[in-house]
Amino acid sequence: MKKKIALVTGGGDCPGINAFLASAVRRGSKEYGAEFVGVRNAFAGLASDNPEQFLVPLDIDSVVGLENRSSTILESSRFNPFTDENVARGYPEKMQANLRKLGISGILGTGGNDTILSASRLEKTGFPTVMAPKSIDNDVSGTDVMLGFRTAIYFGAQAARSTADSARAHRRISLVEVMGRQAGWLALEIGVASGADLITIPEREVNLTELCAEVKNIYVNKKYVNLVVAEGTSIPYDDPVITRARKESAVVRALLEESPELDTFGNPKLGGISQILRRVLIIELGLKKIEEVRTTDLGFTLRGLPPQADDINLGIRFGIRACDILLAENRSGVMVGINGLEIKEVSYEEALKPKTVNRSDRELKALGVFISSH
Ligand code: F6P
C-alpha cells in the first residue's frame, strides 16, 4: 500500500533544510512510490485543531529547484507538544489523532535538539519518525556538522572580515556578535576564518579585567582590535568590572536587569552581550569617544541565507538516507548524521547529548579564543 509521509521542519530555520525536503520527496516518490505532504509550522501544525490548513502537498514537480532556496518553505515553530501543560491539554493525543485522520504513516523532518526531543517523544508513543540535524549552532551530537552550519560559517566569516577591515580603517575596536546558544562552534569558526584577534565562547567564562587588559594591549599596539563574541558568552555578573559598568551605563543596567525570556523548551533568548562588552571596554579602557568601540550583530542574517553547495549536498544526502531508513528498512527513531564523509545514523538519545566546544585550552588559545587565567 502507498505510504503517506509527513515532512516537518522545526526550530530555528537555516540554509539546507529545503535541500533535505526536495531530496526526501524525490527519493521517496521515485524509489518507494510514497506520497509526501509538508506540514507548516512543524508540531504546531500537526497538533492544531485544523491540521488540513497546514498541509502542503509535495511531489517531484513541486520540489524542482527547491534545493537552492533559503530558510524552509514549510515555515517553522518552537511549539513543544510535550510540555506538562500541553500534555495536560491533550496535544500528544490530538497530534496522533490528526496523523491517523490524515492517513500519515511516518514523519521525516529536520530539527535541532528541541525538535529532535519532540520527535523522540512522538516515537515513544509508537509513531515512526526519522530526523536530520539542522542548526547554525552545530550543537547536536552524533554528527560532525548540522545543516546550515557550513553556510553560516562561510558568510559569517566574510561579514566579520569586512567589519575587521572597517575597524582597521577607523582605528576602532570592533565586536561582532554571533548566535550559537550554549555552544561556541559558530563564534569559533567565524572568528578563526575572519582572523579575529580575540574570540569569546560560552564554554570558557570570561574574566573581564583580563579581557579588557588584553584588548587594551592589542589596541595600543595595533590601533584596532577585532573580537568575535558568541551570544552565549558567560561573564560573571558579580565581577567588579560589571558593577562599575552597571553604575556608569544605563544601557548596561537595562540589559542586565532584563530577565531573559524563555522559549517553550526553557531556552533563554540570548543576544546583546556585545552591547554590554562595548560599554565595559569604553569604561575600563578610559576611552573618550564612544565610537571607538562598535558592534555588529550578525544574528538572523546567518539563518536566512541561501545554502552553499556544502549544505545542499548534505541536505540531499540526509534526505536520501532518512527515506531509505523509514521506507526501505522500515526503521525509525534515529537521526541521520555525517562523520567524516560518511552518512551515519544515531539514536535520538545519543543525538540529544549536547555538543559544546571540546577542544583543549592550548588549541583554543592558539586559535584566538580568549582563555581567562583566573
Ligand atoms: O537555535 C538556533 C538559534 O538561532 C540560536 O542560535 C539562537 O539563540 C536561537 O535560535 C534564536 O531563537 P529564535 O529564533 O526563537 O529567536
Side-chain angles (χ1 to χ4, degrees):
M1 197 179 82
K2 190 174 189 164
K3 286 196 173 173
K4 187 174 176 183
I5 304 299
L7 290 162
V8 297
T9 60
D13 62 326
C14 70
I17 296 174
N18 288 322
F20 172 86
L21 296 175
S23 167
V25 169
R26 262 197 309 269
R27 179 74 171 175
S29 316
K30 272 195 202 148
E31 289 298 312
Y32 311 115
E35 180 191 345
F36 286 87
V37 62
V39 181
R40 285 186 301 108
N41 302 1
F43 292 102
L46 273 178
S48 77
D49 296 334
N50 319 300
E52 295 77 7
Q53 289 173 12
F54 293 86
L55 302 186
V56 181
L58 293 172
D59 59 23
I60 290 185
D61 299 331
S62 61
V63 298
V64 171
L66 184 57
E67 294 84 348
N68 314 314
R69 285 185 54 187
S70 62
S71 190
T72 164
I73 58 162
L74 295 179
E75 301 162 33
S76 182
S77 76
R78 292 191 185 280
F79 177 72
N80 178 358
F82 296 99
T83 59
D84 299 346
E85 208 183 327
N86 287 340
V87 169
R89 287 196 188 132
Y91 275 109
E93 291 73 24
K94 187 186 281 185
M95 216 166 31
Q96 283 158 25
N98 284 345
L99 289 163
R100 271 193 304 279
K101 184 174 74 175
L102 297 167
I104 290 168
S105 58
I107 289 178
L108 294 177
T110 61
N113 31 29
D114 300 329
T115 307
I116 292 169
L117 179 62
S118 295
S120 73
R121 290 191 169 148
L122 185 57
E123 179 76 31
K124 287 201 179 94
T125 68
F127 196 85
T129 66
V130 176
M131 297 298 287
K134 70 80 220 152
S135 178
I136 61 172
D137 303 347
N138 204 34
D139 57 351
V140 156
S141 292
T143 187
D144 297 347
V145 280
M146 298 171 79
L147 281 174
F149 183 62
R150 283 276 156 251
T151 301
I153 297 295
Y154 181 81
F155 284 99
Q158 284 186 30
R161 214 173 298 126
S162 61
T163 63
D165 291 342
S166 173
R168 180 176 48 71
H170 293 272
R171 298 162 301 290
R172 284 177 173 156
I173 298 170
S174 159
L175 292 148
V176 174
E177 179 169 334
V178 296
M179 289 181 156
R181 275 228 173 108
Q182 302 312 333
W185 298 109
L186 202 58
L188 176 63
E189 298 215 13
I190 288 175
V192 170
S194 66
D197 299 294
L198 291 170
I199 304 164
T200 66
I201 58 174
E203 294 87 349
R204 295 292 184 284
E205 185 174 71
V206 168
N207 174 309
L208 288 169
T209 307
E210 290 178 23
L211 177 71
C212 293
E214 182 121 354
V215 171
K216 186 169 187 174
N217 182 29
I218 299 168
Y219 198 37
V220 168
N221 293 309
K222 251 181 67 175
K223 304 290 176 265
Y224 66 98
V225 190
N226 294 301
L227 295 97
V228 170
V229 296
E231 64 175 356
T233 296
S234 59
I235 51 179
Y237 287 103
D238 57 357
D239 188 306
V241 169
I242 282 288
T243 314
R244 237 187 328 277
R246 201 193 278 270
K247 253 202 226 99
E248 295 190 27
S249 161
V251 173
V252 171
R253 269 195 304 283
L255 285 168
L256 292 178
E257 266 129 37
E258 192 182 61
S259 50
E261 195 196 320
L262 300 182
D263 70 15
T264 55
F265 292 88
N267 304 304
K269 292 279 177 203
L270 302 172
I273 185 76
S274 57
Q275 294 303 333
I276 294 174
L277 290 175
R278 178 185 185 200
R279 272 89 188 162
V280 161
L281 287 167
I282 288 162
I283 293 162
E284 296 303 307
L285 274 61
L287 301 175
K288 301 283 167 295
K289 291 181 281 155
I290 192 158
E291 69 270 14
E292 283 190 66
V293 187
R294 303 311 295 258
T295 62
T296 305
D297 186 347
L298 295 183
F300 291 87
T301 62
L302 301 184
R303 288 204 352 206
L305 291 163
Q308 287 279 292
D310 280 353
D311 276 316
I312 295 174
N313 273 283
L314 196 57
I316 289 174
R317 294 184 73 193
F318 281 168
I320 292 168
R321 187 72 196 113
C323 250
D324 292 357
I325 291 170
L326 188 68
L327 295 167
E329 301 158 29
N330 289 313
R331 292 186 299 111
S332 61
V334 294
M335 180 196 84
V336 295
I338 187 161
N339 299 130
L341 298 178
E342 269 198 77
I343 298 292
K344 295 268 181 74
E345 63 185 71
V346 290
S347 67
Y348 288 149
E349 194 195 352
E350 178 58 32
L352 289 167
K353 290 180 185 150
K355 185 182 71 186
T356 52
V357 174
N358 53 359
R359 308 241 176 103
S360 68
D361 280 4
R362 187 175 149 77
E363 184 192 356
L364 290 176
K365 208 167 178 152
L367 292 171
V369 173
F370 179 75
I371 310 268
S372 307
S373 59
H374 295 88

